[in-house]
Amino acid sequence: MTVSNFGATTAATTTHVSVNETILPRKYQEEIFRRAQDHNIIAALDTGSGKTLISILLIKWIVLQPSAVGKVVVFLVPKVALVEQQAEFITSQTPLRVRKFHGSLDLELSDRANWKSSFEKADVVVMTAQIFLNILTHSHWSIDKVSLIIFDECHHTRKNHAYNGIMREYFQAHPTERPKVFGMTASPIWNPKDAEGSLLTLEKNLDATVIAVREHVSELLENSPRPVEIIQEYFPPPDNYLYLNPSLWDTLSLFQSDDVDISWDKLHMKYHVTRNSLGPYSADLFIYHEVRARVNQLLLELDTPDDPFGVHEDGMDIDDPPAYRVAPSIPAALEQVDSILTDFKPFFDDSSTPPAVPIPVPLAWCTPKVKALIEVLLAYHTPTFHGIVFVEQRQVAACLAKVLSKIPELRGRIRCAELVGHGGGHGTRNKGGSNASAASAVNVKGMGLARQQDTVKLFRKSYEEGGLNLLVATSVAEEGLDFPACDLVIRFDPLHHMVGYVQSRGRARTKTSTFVIMAQVGHTSHLDRYKTFQEIEPELKKVYQARENPTRPASPESSSDSEEGELEEDDPEDLAARERYIVPSTGAVLTYGSAIGLINYLCSLIPHDAYTPPAMPKYSGDYAAALELPSSLPLPVDHLIYRGPTRNSKREAKRAVAFMAVKALHKLDVFDDYLLPSTGSKGKSDYDADGRKLPDVSELPDIMSVSVQDPWTLGPRLRMHVISIDGEDSAGLITGTELPAIELSSEGYTITMRCTDELMFHPEEEWETLQMLEEFTKMGTWFCISGRPVSLPITCFLVPLTEHNCIDFEAVKLVVDEPYGTYDWEGVTEKDFGTKMVMNCNLYGRAQILHNIRYDLTALSVPPPGSREAPCATYQEYFVQKWTRKSREAFVPTDCPLIEIHSLPRAPSGLYRPASRHQDIDKYKRHTAPVGSIVPQGACRAVHFSRPVYRAFLFLPRICRRATDVYRAREERLQLGLPPIDDDLLIEGSTLPTTNAAWNNQRLETLGDSVLKLTCTVHIMNKFPHRHEGQLSQLRQSSISNRTLLARAKEIGLERFLTSEAQSLHVWRYTIPEDSDVVDCLTQAKHTVRREYPRRSLQDCMEATLGAAFLTGGIDMAIRTGDTLGLSMGGPLPWSLRYSRPPEPSLIPPLFADLQASIGYEFHRGELLVEAITHPSFTTSAGSSYQRLEFLGDAVIDLVIMRHLFQQFPDATSGQLSAARSRAVCGPTLASVAVNRLGLHKHLLINNVELSTAISRHVPLLETLSPEDAILRGWKYDPPKALSDVLESLVGAVLVDSAYNFEKTASVVEVVMSDVLAVLTTNLPRDPVSELMVWAATEGCKRIAFQKSQSNAELRRNDSVSVVVHEHVVAGPITASNLSLSKGLAAERARAILGDASHEMSLVRLCDCRRAAEERMDICSEPPGDQTSQKVTDETEEGFASIAMQKLEEDYSLVIDAVEEVEDELNDEIALTRI
């Protein structure tokens, strides 16, 4: 194990260590640690002195304290990049469970269940402060469950920083329940003019005392060296340069126009800042990339949304465009700007990724400031040099980093990159809905976490290893990040506060480091400020180093919460007027600091299309602010505008009105009791839409072992059930349960069973009688069903009956006495031909039927020519050869006639079809003659089973299966309280695919999924009238997710009624378990049996049961069933009683008269029709858009289409039904119906030029689109979503207007979509991606993958797809309006090329997978490891092959299932025909 001392000259703030490396504390660190055990402290130590190691010591100590049991340690950092770094360090130094959280991780604030689980499963959590504050205020976790809070860079704990917000929640807890606090900073004093006040304020805010090292100061100084500080002066920038004339900015300035959506004023300001700092070339470099990104975006918006065939592959169209297609018109001003950028491209863009400066940059194009910087870099450069240049603005950092790499004087010496923060504007969107930032090449909008980490990793590498040796950074590099100790740190821009001075200087912490302050000649204020910082720092340190345990006053009089030069703290009157709103039921807290963020969060969830700007709250007013909420929120008009109280600052006024709005919206149920606008994320909520707690099912195994209801038991009371076949009582079935009466039609026979009597045996003879009945049943089971002996005790007896339907004990005794029959043939006559069962002693256990007795032949007879016995001289010779075994000789008597027999196929399958699933299988039957043979009569025994009993045995597996199914269905209905769902449908809904039956619950599950979606949608729409579509979507998801269904199924015990047993009965399953006590089973009836099946079967059966209820009794019964199952449907009342409509109709605008005629429905409420055709861009405060109705209509259409498919195609599988539905309800299909059937594009109320233009371009295309084309090739089209949305909203409006009359609404949908329904079939061709995958799997190729790319690197958005086969690009990159379309077109093109044997890229020429597989056949390789945790994606060869194989297996399973089903039915038919 490697051991290193912490704080050596090369150590960083948190030394970058490997997992097996240990860091030992120094004495000064132990000193601070000891003092931290006794009190809350703030460790004031220089950067690089090892503050994080002290926190590690404290963490290890705190977790051992009894008071810390069940609590978590929270490590807070101010920046996202520090989360990964500190979590890695803690993990490497402790065995504790460490979890990390920041905004870049996929865990949403509303995911309460996952937050709680994450904290419970962690010992230490590392996170950014705002996330922890959100967790506390939304009551996901509480402060009393925290043992220690560590504040990294704790000097931020002031004003409205999240650190301070956390401490406000800390002070709300009782002092005995507060966690220990440990702060770390190198800059505890931010205002040098009031040092004592700064300290007192920080101490008050953190409830801690600032301390420094007192006992081991010399050791600290030895390990925290200070750099040499020098001042580098430079001259002001000149007015003119020897530079391009005209420059790029000068040229663009001549063509600036309001017709181009570019913020020229903002660019002008940043241009001059960059020019004054770096020079004209850098300023133009910034302008080029910023404007180029925006122009590319505008051109893409022109080309993509409006062009249905906006597809290209290396400049070529995939399909021939329609004749009427014209290129989109580019505004002249935009075209001019684009042309100017193209002319200047050789100076600023080399087309690489990321873009680099394409030419050397002479010093003449740079400012004196840059020249001075270069002089410093040359003076201090060494082969192992590492340096950081600190600047203020992001665009300056990006441009300077790129330019320095191209300065000829620095060539071969400097390799640099920029490092900037994420940026507040990151991810904002413009009015077109695209990412306005466009992440330009000069990073004006900031860097993502991944790029930050990559840059830091490169900076850690040496120059020789290809690493960076210079960073140009903003303040993001001042604090905490784990950098190598730098030889040179340069403040390129002026210092503004003490914290920045101390933090940036801390990066230069080797004994030979230099800290350079750059100052412009003549700017004495900048120099004076620096000198003040330099001179006053030792005095400031003395303030806290010399103090001996100072007390912390509750309200210090001389405190300061501002840095030098900052605005003063919030007004005391404003602070005194602040409120806290606490939700009593949950403890969630609303504060002035969180209110604005909650309003923004609510608005961010409002869905919007590419043509609608994101919904944003609008604030107005100064010291008495007003808040106007987006009209797309479905709120009463008087709740869209709030007016706040008067405050002494504009910021406080804005917080106050936001606070007021959130309180009011909580009362309107827009925010839930956790003060969140949504209750869950991706189905992970702990509660359903009604606020009911979901049981925890996380520990359920994938394969469950459960007790299932089962009728097959004996017990003290036995019951007789008479089996009748075609009206003839054939046999009796005895078991310990009164089975329900059943009727079963199978292969042309009608089988019924009814319970007649309870059997009573003489007590002294009962055991012997039961043994005799068991032996009889076992022999029949062996001969007729399983073909093998039954060893375990059985739970039911099939017995022969007398004419009075009593047990025929004589027949039973005859079989028991002679179980293998008799050699006595005296009583056998011609009347027994075709009915008498015989058994050849040479072939035990194989039942056969007597066909004829050949008195003219014996075993010594000569076989006729052409017979199968003909090769032998006599029959005897043939029989001896055929039946002789090693263990025994053949028995072939020669003194008896031969008999003709037919082999009797057994019936080991319980396969049957409910009455509703009968099919004509005659076309599948193989009309072949029964296979017969000839054997000696003396070698055969006549078996004593009668024809009726033998026939009953053949049907017994089906009878038992049907009885089991009906019994479980009725027990399920009775015990769960379900409404009277049809038996057959309930049975089908409870039959799992593991049964391998011809039918199971998968079809009903697919239907039930649509039923659940609609019923839940209607309920939450009415329960939450003021929540918008985004909120409703998450509410619905939390109520219909698989997790919710599984939890509710377990809650009601649904697993007790599911049928998972396979149909095949080669091993008789109606037996007493091997480990059970037989006597106990005879004395006590047990109606359960252990079964195993996947846990996901429960959620499938929940939906299947809903589907069964819907088919039985429509929506009303489905609602009753869902309520019984515990689902969120608003109770058992039908919609007709629950929801009503105003009795008086409202006016219908004449604009919609023809629309009502087209849909065949007359509206009662005109405002609903207006709402249904109002796009969000058209809405005003007086009315809502169609979004909520569209959300409802989507669910209605989904169910109507699914019911049509279910009823129209009874043989279709679940997958086929789903595929057909998706084709019918996809955007292009619905858009074509909206345009061609209803002309909704003419009625749609829009206030957006781009959307109107896009619709006008797509309408001609849609008008030529036939229903068949929409179904088969709709994936190729991408019309504006508004066209399909308005159709869905219209359907939703019909449902609401009709007082939620589903059948009436369904008839409207069926009429409107009749053309689509007429051509819709489940036998659809695969989509191009699936077709390529299945074909590739069939051909055996395993080296294919999709590859995403960018058609424009500056947009940083994947929009193109290629197909790569054996590392050859066969098709693409193909670019389309969306990535899904690009993928489909690429797959289609690739399939055509690969399948063309004459093409140079054909699969037969590229692929050698089959040959390679054959070569590997003889190589013994280790089995592959567990890859279940890896995400399978078709962008890797392994993932593509895996998904392709799954699709291929699904296709084959459909064929195999159909073949097996026909074969099973055929074999049974042959067996019964021979009877």
Side-chain angles (χ1 to χ4, degrees), residues 522-699:
H523 275 202
T524 57
S525 60
H526 294 164
L527 281 176
D528 290 344
R529 186 182 298 117
Y530 160 65
K531 291 178 179 178
T532 299
F533 292 156
Q534 187 181 40
E535 293 169 358
I536 201 172
E537 185 190 9
E539 299 301 322
L540 295 179
K541 285 188 175 182
K542 290 179 182 179
V543 173
Y544 54 86
Q545 285 177 333
R547 295 189 309 167
E548 291 289 340
N549 299 324
T551 58
R552 299 189 304 274
S555 300
E557 296 179 0
S558 60
S559 66
S560 172
D561 202 19
S562 298
E563 293 178 4
E564 181 186 13
E566 285 189 346
L567 294 175
E568 288 301 315
E569 59 186 294
D570 294 318
D571 188 276
E573 292 184 7
D574 286 345
L575 295 178
R578 285 187 175 182
E579 306 172 59
R580 281 172 63 86
Y581 176 65
I582 302 176
V583 181
S585 61
T586 63
V589 179
L590 172 65
T591 66
Y592 271 47
S594 63
I596 293 177
L598 287 175
I599 293 293
N600 292 336
Y601 185 24
L602 170 67
C603 296
S604 70
L605 295 176
I606 301 175
H608 62 92
D609 57 26
Y611 305 94
T612 309
M616 299 291 290
K618 296 178 182 178
Y619 294 90
S620 58
D622 293 331
Y623 297 100
L627 168 60
E628 181 181 353
L629 296 174
S631 59
S632 47
L633 284 173
L635 296 172
V637 176
D638 57 335
H639 282 85
L640 286 173
I641 299 178
Y642 295 87
R643 303 190 184 280
T646 302
R647 291 290 185 263
N648 293 325
S649 74
K650 297 178 182 179
R651 289 184 300 173
E652 192 70 8
K654 185 176 177 181
R655 296 186 192 115
V657 72
F659 183 89
M660 177 188 299
V662 175
K663 280 181 62 177
L665 293 176
H666 173 243
K667 294 176 181 178
L668 287 175
D669 213 8
V670 177
F671 287 97
D672 64 15
D673 283 348
Y674 291 97
L675 294 177
L676 288 168
S678 60
T679 58
S681 168
K682 303 174 184 176
K684 299 175 183 176
S685 174
D686 274 342
Y687 299 86
D688 63 15
D690 293 318
R692 294 175 300 177
K693 178 78 173 177
L694 295 175
D696 184 14
V697 292
S698 60
E699 300 301 323

Side-chain angles (χ1 to χ4, degrees), residues 1406-1471:
L1406 296 178
C1407 181
D1408 61 351
C1409 291
R1410 289 187 183 275
R1411 183 171 64 253
E1414 291 172 359
E1415 293 173 355
R1416 291 194 298 266
M1417 288 290 287
D1418 297 330
I1419 301 176
C1420 179
S1421 60
E1422 295 183 3
D1426 181 16
Q1427 298 179 345
T1428 55
S1429 61
Q1430 298 181 3
K1431 183 178 179 181
V1432 178
T1433 170
D1434 55 19
E1435 295 175 41
T1436 65
E1437 292 179 349
E1438 297 80 4
F1440 186 101
S1442 175
I1443 298 172
M1445 188 55 64
Q1446 291 176 13
K1447 290 180 178 291
L1448 181 63
E1449 289 173 354
E1450 289 172 5
D1451 281 8
Y1452 276 134
S1453 66
L1454 299 179
V1455 177
I1456 292 171
D1457 288 346
V1459 171
E1460 289 179 347
E1461 178 181 338
V1462 171
E1463 288 180 345
D1464 287 340
E1465 295 179 348
L1466 178 61
N1467 290 336
D1468 293 339
E1469 177 71 12
I1470 293 173

Side-chain angles (χ1 to χ4, degrees), residues 1047-1096:
R1048 292 296 181 222
K1050 282 295 295 179
E1051 190 174 49
I1052 63 176
L1054 183 65
E1055 70 276 7
R1056 296 171 293 159
F1057 308 104
L1058 307 190
T1059 296
S1060 61
E1061 299 90 348
Q1063 299 281 7
S1064 176
L1065 290 175
H1066 289 293
V1067 176
W1068 189 247
R1069 79 168 184 86
Y1070 303 99
T1071 62
I1072 296 174
E1074 188 172 1
D1075 56 351
S1076 299
D1077 187 340
V1078 177
V1079 176
D1080 185 45
C1081 294
L1082 290 173
T1083 56
Q1084 182 180 0
K1086 296 182 179 179
H1087 294 98
T1088 60
V1089 65
R1090 299 300 296 182
R1091 294 287 181 260
E1092 291 185 348
Y1093 50 77
R1095 74 174 189 175
R1096 67 156 295 153

Side-chain angles (χ1 to χ4, degrees), residues 70-72 74 112 116 119 132 135-147 149 169-170 173 177-179 586-587:
K71 298 183 179 182
V72 68
V74 177
R112 176 175 172 78
K116 183 179 178 182
F119 270 66
F132 187 56
I135 290 169
L136 292 177
T137 56
H138 294 293
S139 198
H140 294 338
W141 199 254
S142 57
I143 202 77
D144 60 323
K145 295 180 181 178
V146 179
S147 60
I149 305 181
E169 300 306 313
Y170 165 95
E177 296 179 342
R178 295 173 184 171
T586 63

Side-chain angles (χ1 to χ4, degrees), residues 1354-1408:
E1354 292 180 351
L1355 293 180
R1356 291 194 181 178
R1357 177 171 64 87
N1358 288 326
D1359 58 359
S1360 306
V1361 176
S1362 305
V1363 177
V1364 181
V1365 182
H1366 285 265
E1367 301 181 356
H1368 291 82
V1369 177
V1370 173
I1374 294 179
T1375 305
S1377 56
N1378 60 69
L1379 204 58
S1380 177
L1381 179 56
S1382 300
K1383 188 174 183 179
L1385 292 168
E1388 185 181 55
R1389 171 64 64 87
R1391 173 66 180 87
I1393 293 175
L1394 293 170
D1396 182 1
S1398 62
H1399 199 283
E1400 62 179 357
M1401 289 286 187
S1402 67
L1403 191 65
V1404 294
R1405 300 189 182 189
L1406 296 178
C1407 181
D1408 61 351

Side-chain angles (χ1 to χ4, degrees), residues 17 58 148 178 268 297 342 370 408 607 650 740 754 834 903 1105 1332 1383 1429:
V17 297
L58 195 58
L148 169 66
R178 295 173 184 171
H268 182 263
Q297 187 179 33
T342 302
V370 173
K650 297 178 182 179
R754 65 190 186 278
S903 296
T1105 304
L1332 175 63
K1383 188 174 183 179
S1429 61

